[in-house]
């Protein structure tokens, strides 16, 4: 199906996913396989070229990750990046020098042969280095095509076989012309055509969905988030009214959430949508529970129960559609996205078995930014496409201590003010998440002549690329001031607002 594609072999670099995304930016499909994928599997995928990623390992480690040697005999171009370069040298008979010192940071690359990956790149350009070992002698058939002050062989090539290797990282933004180098490899050296567009993705995926689903019915749980909404809209485009969306109000949603989702899907897309107000059930089960993991379990289990009850009401349902993304399914040796663990509460395994449903995951080949692009292409309003992630357990893990309806109401009001002010200041799209947390702390204040003894709200706003690490956002003081004033004046029961200035790690984004 993806004959015009590039394979990335993952040797454990933190940048592996970035390499795949960079390839896709050229409208060429790419997938990540673990470094030790057997050659038969690679052949079956039929890539036009393979990129060997970096790795935290040294080729000298006793457990250094090595690929199936068959990749060198496939007759397709290879690009080794950092460890991938050393690996190529090692496997093809060159010499790699062990180094105790890491070279880390920007370096000036001097290109000796401005062709192949370096086609159209000026003779001198900045690149990002992050490596220990380095190449002392390229293998036979290779020539040195660039150097830096510290690396006499900063790039090498065996042009006859289409093998290229770079000591630096072309995939990171700190290598300003790295995108061009990768494009040269993908388009010029491997001969890939830029045909993988969101429009073509929509066409092939809807066709495939129609073929798989036939005349049967599909259910899809929607949360108001971008992944589930895009999934639902895509499936709806394929099979129309044979899709029913189920939206469960679990009592710990943000202000106006249920109404917003319903409005968009029912009015804008004319979908079948079943909105269930199950807040009472969830809140009853959450009574007196303070342990964060228990809260997660309770909400996850109850969700499955409610969802199953609703799905059983629809006759002839055979499929369940879910918004699983590519980072959740990569068999990665490097870090997985946060979703790998956080989606565990949506464990639908039992549900599928009990109801004899088959899983549909139409987004399982896409990265988050691609899902957003797809969403825009499908005419989903920006308000949903650009939405911050919202955790499945919702406000329950932002109310520290026991979750009650009253406390939910207090937090909902404070949270709505945070979001309103952040949006008004034009900051929303620049942040990964912004929200309020209700603390189990009371503090003394004065209002008029009265002494008050009320709740404390913490405001959290972070920058992040994937939720794995995060930095607290330097929100302008006047915006913070407005948020604080409004919360204290407008939200009854709160008399103090604090701003969370912790980064992840060592803190987490959520408080529980
Ligand atoms: P932490 O708090 O672990 O959060 O730094 C990282 C990202 O994951 C989200 N998150 C969750 N999402 N269920 C979810 O669906 C959860 O239980 C959960 N816990 C954290 C969090 O909002 C952030 O984006």
């Amino acid at each position: 199906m993806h004959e015009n594609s590039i394979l990335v072999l993952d040797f454990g670099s933190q940048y592996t996913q970035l390499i795949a995304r960079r390839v896709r930016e050229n409208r060429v499909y790419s997938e990540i396989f673990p470094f030790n994928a057997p050659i038969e599997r690679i052949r079956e995928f039929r890539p036009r070229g393979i990129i060997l990623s970096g790795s935290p390992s040294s080729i000298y480690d006793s457990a250094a990750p090595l690929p199936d040697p068959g990749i060198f005999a496939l007759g397709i171009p290879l690009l080794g990046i950092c460890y991938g370069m050393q690996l190529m040298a090692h496997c093809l008979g060159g010499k790699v020098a062990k180094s105790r010192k890491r070279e880390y940071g920007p370096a000036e690359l001097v290109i000796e042969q401005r062709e192949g990956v370096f086609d159209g790149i000026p003779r001198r350009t900045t690149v990002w280095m992050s490596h220990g070992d380095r190449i002392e002698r390229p293998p036979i058939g290779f020539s040195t095509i660039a150097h830096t002050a510290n690396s006499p062989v900063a790039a090498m090539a065996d042009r006859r076989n289409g093998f290229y290797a770079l000591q630096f990282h072309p995939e990171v933004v700190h290598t300003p012309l790295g995108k061009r180098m990768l494009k040269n490899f993908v388009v010029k050296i491997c001969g890939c055509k830029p045909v993988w567009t969101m429009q073509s993705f929509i066409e092939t995926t809807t066709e495939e969905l129609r073929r798989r689903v036939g005349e049967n019915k599909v259910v899809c749980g929607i949360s108001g988030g971008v992944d589930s909404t895009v999934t639902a809209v895509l499936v709806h485009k394929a099979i129309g009214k044979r899709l029913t969306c189920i939206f469960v109000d679990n009592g710990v949603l943000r202000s106006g959430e249920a109404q917003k989702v319903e409005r968009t899907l029912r009015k804008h897309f004319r979908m079948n949508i079943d909105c269930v107000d199950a807040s009472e059930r969830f809140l009853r089960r959450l009574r007196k529970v303070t342990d964060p993991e228990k809260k997660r379990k309770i909400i996850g289990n109850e969700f499955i129960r409610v969802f199953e009850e609703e799905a059983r009401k629809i006759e002839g349902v055979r499929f369940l559609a879910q918004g699983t993304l590519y980072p959740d399914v990569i068999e990665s040796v490097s870090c997985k996205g946060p979703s790998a663990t956080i989606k565990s509460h949506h464990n639908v395994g039992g549900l599928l078995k009990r109801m004899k449903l088959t899983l549909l995951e139409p987004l399982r080949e896409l990265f988050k930014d691609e899902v957003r692009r797809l969403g825009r292409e499908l005419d989903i309003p920006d308000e949903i496409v650009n939405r911050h992630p919202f955790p499945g357990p919702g406000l329950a893990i932002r109310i520290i201590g026991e979750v009650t309806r009253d406390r939910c109401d207090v937090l909902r009001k404070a949270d709505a003010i945070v979001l309103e002010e952040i949006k008004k200041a034009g900051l929303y799209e620049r942040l990964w998440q912004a929200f309020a947390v209700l603390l189990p702390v009371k503090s003394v204040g004065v209002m008029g002549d009265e002494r008050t003894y009320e709740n404390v709200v913490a405001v959290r706003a972070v920058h992040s690329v994937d939720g794995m690490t995060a930095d607290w956002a330097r929100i302008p003081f006047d915006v913070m001031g407005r948020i604080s004033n409004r919360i204290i004046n407008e939200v009854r029961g709160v008399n103090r607002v604090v701003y969370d200035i912790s980064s992840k790690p060592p803190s987490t984004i959520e408080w529980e």
Side-chain angles (χ1 to χ4, degrees):
M1 183 174 144
H2 292 295
E3 276 164 31
N4 189 62
S5 64
I6 295 288
L7 178 64
V8 180
L9 280 187
D10 178 21
F11 292 89
S13 163
Q14 55 175 326
Y15 300 130
T16 301
Q17 291 192 24
L18 191 54
I19 300 173
R21 275 173 44 206
R22 289 276 182 260
V23 173
R24 290 180 179 201
E25 282 170 12
N26 295 297
R27 301 182 168 184
V28 170
Y29 184 69
S30 80
E31 267 193 34
I32 299 169
F33 283 10
F35 67 91
N36 53 2
I39 197 70
E40 297 73 35
R41 189 173 160 208
I42 295 177
R43 267 210 203 95
E44 213 173 291
F45 182 64
R46 295 213 271 173
R48 289 243 167 129
I50 301 179
I51 300 180
L52 312 173
S53 84
S55 172
S57 308
S58 155
I59 195 75
Y60 284 104
D61 293 347
S62 54
L66 294 174
D68 190 316
I71 60 165
F72 298 106
L74 283 173
I76 57 172
L78 302 182
L79 174 67
I81 295 177
C82 198
Y83 174 87
M85 176 191 211
Q86 288 137 21
L87 176 93
M88 266 165 101
H90 177 81
C91 293
L92 298 173
K95 192 158 181 234
V96 182
K98 195 172 169 56
S99 156
R100 279 179 190 285
K101 229 179 82 209
R102 263 191 107 70
E103 184 187 2
Y104 184 82
E108 188 185 44
L109 185 77
V110 181
I111 298 175
E112 295 160 35
Q113 299 184 23
R114 291 170 56 209
E115 49 188 11
V117 271
F118 295 141
D119 194 30
I121 311 281
R123 212 172 103 72
R124 288 170 186 272
T125 181
T126 303
V127 296
W128 187 258
M129 289 288 189
S130 170
H131 66 104
D133 305 342
R134 63 179 196 180
I135 307 295
E136 204 159 280
R137 193 189 64 233
I140 292 173
F142 278 80
S143 54
T144 302
I145 55 172
H147 64 267
T148 65
N150 281 322
S151 300
V153 188
M156 61 179 195
D158 166 359
R159 233 170 283 121
R160 218 164 46 95
N161 283 309
F163 292 174
Y164 287 81
L166 310 173
Q167 183 61 85
F168 55 90
H169 288 274
E171 69 276 22
V172 303
V173 288
H174 314 292
T175 300
L177 297 178
K179 278 187 184 184
R180 176 74 189 264
M181 297 174 196
L182 286 172
K183 183 175 183 181
N184 282 340
F185 178 72
V186 170
V187 176
K188 294 213 165 118
I189 298 166
C190 300
C192 291
K193 306 223 161 31
V195 292
W196 191 73
T197 60
M198 277 308 145
Q199 206 47 51
S200 71
F201 178 86
I202 294 172
E203 277 160 30
T204 48
T205 311
T206 47
E207 242 165 63
E208 165 80 7
L209 283 168
R210 267 182 225 122
R211 195 184 56 71
R212 275 191 75 189
V213 173
E215 291 305 307
N216 293 302
K217 287 189 185 156
V218 180
V219 274
C220 177
I222 48 166
S223 66
V226 56
D227 304 346
S228 62
T229 309
V230 173
T231 304
V233 173
L234 192 60
V235 175
H236 180 254
K237 194 174 171 69
I239 61 158
K241 290 277 184 196
R242 271 176 294 128
L243 166 72
T244 303
C245 296
I246 299 176
F247 178 81
V248 179
D249 182 347
N250 57 12
V252 282
L253 300 173
R254 275 170 300 194
S255 177
E257 193 81 348
Q259 296 80 345
K260 254 188 253 165
V261 171
E262 189 172 4
R263 201 171 49 229
T264 309
L265 296 192
R266 207 194 295 279
K267 304 252 163 68
H268 193 72
F269 289 102
R270 305 189 173 281
M271 287 190 194
N272 281 332
I273 165 162
D274 173 17
C275 291
V276 202
D277 179 0
S279 53
E280 199 51 51
R281 282 173 70 159
F282 279 85
L283 292 175
R284 205 178 326 122
R285 288 197 185 261
L286 284 168
R287 210 173 282 161
K288 301 223 160 55
V289 178
T290 54
D291 178 71
E293 288 315 301
K294 267 202 196 128
K295 289 180 184 173
R296 282 191 168 80
K297 275 215 181 78
I298 290 170
I299 293 173
N301 291 341
E302 197 59 20
F303 174 84
I304 295 285
R305 252 183 242 131
V306 176
F307 189 87
E308 182 166 348
E309 284 168 22
E310 293 303 309
R312 282 191 188 282
K313 294 181 191 161
I314 309 163
E315 230 173 278
V317 171
R318 290 280 169 275
F319 293 90
L320 170 72
Q322 193 176 255
T324 315
L325 304 194
Y326 193 43
D328 306 329
V329 298
I330 300 174
E331 308 156 57
S332 176
V333 280
S334 51
C335 288
K336 287 201 171 201
S339 32
T341 40
I342 63 188
K343 287 219 169 124
S344 58
H345 79 280
H346 274 164
N347 196 344
V348 293
L351 176 82
L352 293 173
K353 245 195 212 141
R354 282 193 302 276
M355 287 192 63
K356 298 197 178 66
L357 297 178
T358 305
L359 197 56
L360 295 175
E361 297 176 313
L363 310 183
R364 62 181 281 130
E365 290 180 346
L366 303 185
F367 289 109
K368 190 86 179 185
D369 50 333
E370 293 167 338
V371 173
R372 292 209 161 102
R373 264 175 40 218
L374 174 61
R376 279 182 212 112
E377 199 83 31
L378 288 167
D379 202 21
I380 297 173
D382 276 353
E383 198 203 347
I384 293 180
V385 169
N386 297 332
R387 179 164 283 199
H388 289 170
F390 184 66
L395 301 183
I397 55 166
R398 294 179 180 171
I399 292 172
I400 315 305
E402 193 188 352
V403 180
T404 62
R405 202 178 269 278
D406 287 348
R407 289 177 73 76
C408 285
D409 287 339
V410 169
L411 182 57
R412 251 192 287 271
K413 284 185 194 136
D415 190 67
I417 292 173
V418 173
L419 288 177
E420 230 178 273
E421 290 300 327
I422 291 284
K423 283 182 184 166
K424 246 195 248 161
L427 298 172
Y428 186 81
E429 257 121 66
R430 283 193 259 150
L431 295 170
W432 169 262
Q433 274 172 308
F435 55 86
V437 180
L438 184 59
L439 307 188
V441 173
K442 289 202 163 196
S443 83
V444 174
V446 277
M447 280 237 192
D449 293 333
E450 298 275 317
R451 178 182 177 281
T452 59
Y453 188 54
E454 305 276 21
N455 294 294
V456 180
V457 159
V459 175
R460 181 100 167 116
V462 296
H463 294 291
S464 173
V465 273
D466 54 10
M468 298 279 291
T469 59
D471 195 12
W472 59 277
R474 274 58 170 177
I475 302 282
F477 283 171
D478 54 339
V479 180
M480 283 193 194
R482 275 200 295 278
I483 290 174
S484 163
N485 277 345
R486 281 196 56 195
I487 292 178
I488 293 169
N489 285 324
E490 295 172 33
V491 184
R492 190 175 278 221
V494 179
N495 68 354
R496 192 175 297 269
V497 172
V498 295
Y499 189 62
D500 181 350
I501 53 167
S502 1
S503 294
K504 173 184 180 177
S507 301
T508 50
I509 296 176
E510 302 291 346
W511 276 47
E512 287 197 331

